[in-house]
Amino acid sequence: MPYRTIIEPFRIHTVEPIDFPTETERHEALERAGWNLFGLHADEVIIDLLTDSGTGAMSTEQWAGMMRGDESYAGSRSYYRFRDAVKGVTGLEHVIPTHQGRAAERILFSTAVKPGDVVPNNTHFDTTRANVEYQGAEARDLVIPEGKVPAARHPFKGNMDVEALRATIESVGRDRIPLVMVTVTNNSGGGQPVSLANLRAVREVCDEYGIPLFLDACRFAENAWFIKLREPGYADKTPREIAAEMFSLVDGCTMSAKKDGMSNIGGFLAMNDADLAHECRNLLILTEGFPTYGGLAGYDLEAVARGIEEALEEEYLRYRIRSTEYLAEKIARAGVPIVQPAGGHAVYLDAGALLPHIPASQYPAQALACALYLEGGVRGVEIGSVMFGKPQADGTEIPAPMELVRLAVPRRTYTQSHVDFVGEVMIAVAARASELKGLRMVEQAPWLRHFTARFEPLV
Ligand SMILES: Cc1ncc(COP(=O)(O)O)c(C=O)c1O
């Protein structure tokens, strides 16, 4: 159509009211939560951009599918529909359902990784890193140099540094690298895509050394859309064809269906290696459930089976990627530093650049996330030294490479006016950036501390 405006490719069918806590209520809530936005009650939040994981709206087809959920313990019809849908999109032979992405990670790493191993990735997501480290192995991030510079523009900033991968294999030794992972899109690195050329180059290195390659496929459909838009030779391919090419280059994948499975819960582990799949299924039975449900209800399997197809629809992807870019443009036009270009599922604010007066040891990105909440009830998430800082024995910390706040956009959930509101709130906070103060961490867990850590504001 000859019109510029890209519209939401759906009508609203059911509405969920938003609460409007006052400024005083927001302050009290944040104090109670120990200045950690994970501790807020959802009704204390006006616009919730904490995560795009499981927070989207499902389609009428998904809800209809749920009514057909077969809750048989073993061999449910819903499992076979799920398996066929996943196989249809990925081409991978063995499909193991899990309750979400981290369960797939835990099962894969418990089976394939041992203490002393090194797992390279472009950038490990927090749960992926934690699950690798839990096995006593090292999670090594090897994104290209541009991927670590928020303002640097590159069409595929999520690409893996192929030479760094080769150097890692040479120095660590092939025997200590049980697998290589590539995360699409690269969530912790700004939601940036990985090109097919890069994936092919990584595959070649893996083949040279005989190392299996796995995708962390959470946002495979968004990655496919970016390839269509930006990689020469792919403009005329469908997202499904591009996704098929991505999956054809790997031996397996972990997946959180709470992202591009368009579902509120679910995930899977898929692979071609029958022996590895056999071991993974045995472990699945121990903690998740029988291999034809893997911790999910039959109706959840139905929702994923439809969701994974809907995530590849062109009209949906065009709207999805454009709405994130729209928020990024609004914020960047007002001079707020962000990771450029916009990510697929989120806008990443560069708190390090906006708050240069707050050192990493006082968690500038956490301070910015709290300020956004206090200003307008907008909940984002810190992706900086709270999430990825490394505490040392002497009480100091190695800071994260970047201090970011992620504003993740739930799928098919908010309208353009919600996004405009978020832009206004961000611009208001940026106008008084020099007045913001850092935080002191007063409580932390040994793993994934960002979920439960407590802070006190510095005065
Ligand atoms: C890239 C990536 N990998 C893994 C996960 C873990 O998935 P889940 O939250 O379903 O356990 C996430 C979740 O946000 C993610 O973004």
Side-chain angles (χ1 to χ4, degrees):
M1 283 210 280
Y3 303 108
R4 275 186 56 242
T5 308
I6 295 169
I7 60 168
E8 286 84 358
F10 49 80
R11 294 181 297 200
I12 294 170
H13 181 263
T14 309
V15 296
E16 188 184 357
I18 288 178
D19 292 289
F20 290 91
T22 62
E23 197 179 335
T24 313
E25 286 166 342
R26 296 198 294 273
H27 210 279
E28 284 168 5
L30 198 56
E31 287 273 353
R32 187 205 68 235
W35 294 75
N36 185 336
L37 301 173
F38 281 101
L40 296 174
H41 300 185
D43 57 9
E44 292 162 343
V45 176
I46 299 175
I47 304 285
D48 205 347
L49 306 182
L50 183 74
T51 176
D52 63 322
S53 180
T55 51
M58 292 209 298
S59 67
T60 45
E61 276 305 307
Q62 284 177 292
W63 285 112
M66 288 181 80
M67 293 305 291
R68 286 194 291 271
D70 172 358
E71 302 305 336
S72 304
Y73 188 96
S76 130
R77 280 188 296 274
S78 300
Y79 168 72
Y80 292 106
R81 270 195 285 274
F82 168 89
R83 184 201 63 179
D84 292 348
V86 172
K87 261 181 139 172
V89 169
T90 67
L92 293 164
E93 196 46 39
H94 302 280
V95 179
I96 302 172
T98 60
H99 79 274
Q100 62 184 96
R102 68 198 68 183
E105 291 165 358
R106 194 191 62 78
I107 288 165
L108 175 65
F109 299 145
S110 307
T111 311
V113 174
K114 55 183 190 321
D117 283 352
V118 174
V119 178
N121 200 324
N122 44 354
T123 312
H124 287 83
F125 182 64
D126 60 358
T127 59
T128 326
R129 168 171 291 281
N131 272 300
V132 169
E133 291 175 352
Y134 190 68
Q135 298 303 324
E138 181 195 330
R140 196 173 290 187
D141 292 342
L142 299 177
V143 73
I144 54 170
E146 292 89 335
K148 294 182 211 149
V149 183
R153 281 189 178 267
H154 185 289
F156 292 102
K157 256 174 119 169
N159 281 354
M160 182 174 264
D161 183 335
V162 180
E163 282 321 305
L165 173 63
R166 188 185 290 284
T168 298
I169 300 171
E170 285 291 333
S171 70
V172 168
R174 184 259 163 267
D175 291 345
R176 281 176 55 215
I177 304 197
L179 61 119
V180 171
M181 282 197 98
V182 174
T183 305
V184 293
T185 55
N186 191 24
N187 185 4
S188 300
Q192 301 292 323
V194 174
S195 69
L196 268 166
N198 184 254
L199 211 49
R200 239 178 264 119
V202 171
R203 173 82 253 179
E204 277 170 25
V205 174
C206 288
D207 282 346
E208 209 178 296
Y209 293 91
I211 301 174
L213 175 59
F214 273 68
L215 272 190
D216 177 337
C218 294
R219 298 177 182 82
F220 74 95
E222 292 173 5
N223 200 81
W225 186 253
F226 279 121
I227 288 172
K228 182 176 170 72
L229 295 183
R230 297 180 186 169
E231 189 156 355
Y234 287 92
D236 296 329
K237 299 243 190 249
T238 64
R240 197 185 172 96
E241 287 166 339
I242 297 170
E245 195 168 334
M246 285 161 51
F247 284 109
S248 75
L249 291 167
V250 299
D251 300 290
C253 73
T254 55
M255 172 77 185
S256 168
K258 300 171 76 174
K259 284 81 169 177
D260 282 350
M262 310 284 267
S263 300
N264 301 130
I265 195 71
F268 56 84
L269 178 57
M271 62 194 69
N272 286 327
D273 181 332
D275 294 336
L276 183 64
H278 180 70
E279 275 189 68
C280 289
R281 284 198 183 99
N282 284 341
L283 198 56
L284 185 87
I285 294 173
L286 190 66
T287 58
E288 292 275 305
F290 193 72
T292 59
Y293 73 89
L296 294 170
Y299 55 68
D300 297 322
L301 294 166
E302 295 282 352
V304 178
R306 282 156 184 78
I308 198 169
E309 306 274 356
E310 289 177 10
L312 285 165
E313 285 168 8
E314 295 212 7
E315 290 306 330
Y316 161 71
L317 282 168
R318 182 174 293 113
Y319 136 81
R320 166 79 177 151
I321 299 302
R322 177 60 198 145
S323 47
T324 308
E325 189 183 48
Y326 173 83
L327 174 61
E329 280 171 5
K330 205 173 170 69
I331 293 175
R333 251 201 315 270
V336 178
I338 60 167
V339 173
Q340 292 284 9
H345 65 296
V347 175
Y348 292 69
L349 310 170
D350 183 357
L354 184 68
L355 308 174
H357 59 286
I358 304 182
S361 57
Q362 296 176 11
Y363 309 117
Q366 186 71 13
L368 179 59
C370 289
L372 280 171
Y373 173 68
L374 290 175
E375 178 71 31
V378 174
R379 173 157 72 168
V381 71
E382 196 260 14
I383 300 204
S385 291
V386 175
M387 192 179 272
F388 289 124
K390 292 198 182 85
Q392 304 297 294
D394 65 359
T396 60
E397 281 187 13
I398 301 174
M402 295 190 276
E403 300 295 340
L404 306 176
V405 174
R406 186 188 69 183
L407 303 178
V409 186
R411 292 168 181 76
R412 307 188 287 205
T413 301
Y414 289 116
T415 65
Q416 189 165 341
S417 59
H418 292 121
V419 171
D420 286 335
F421 172 82
V422 173
E424 274 189 60
V425 170
M426 181 61 235
I427 291 163
V429 169
R432 54 180 181 79
S434 62
E435 295 163 24
L436 299 189
K437 301 239 173 12
L439 297 155
R440 186 156 54 91
M441 196 183 288
V442 293
E443 217 179 286
Q444 59 175 296
W447 282 287
L448 298 170
R449 64 179 185 176
H450 52 286
F451 286 123
T452 51
R454 293 183 70 84
F455 303 85
E456 277 170 9
L458 293 163
V459 282

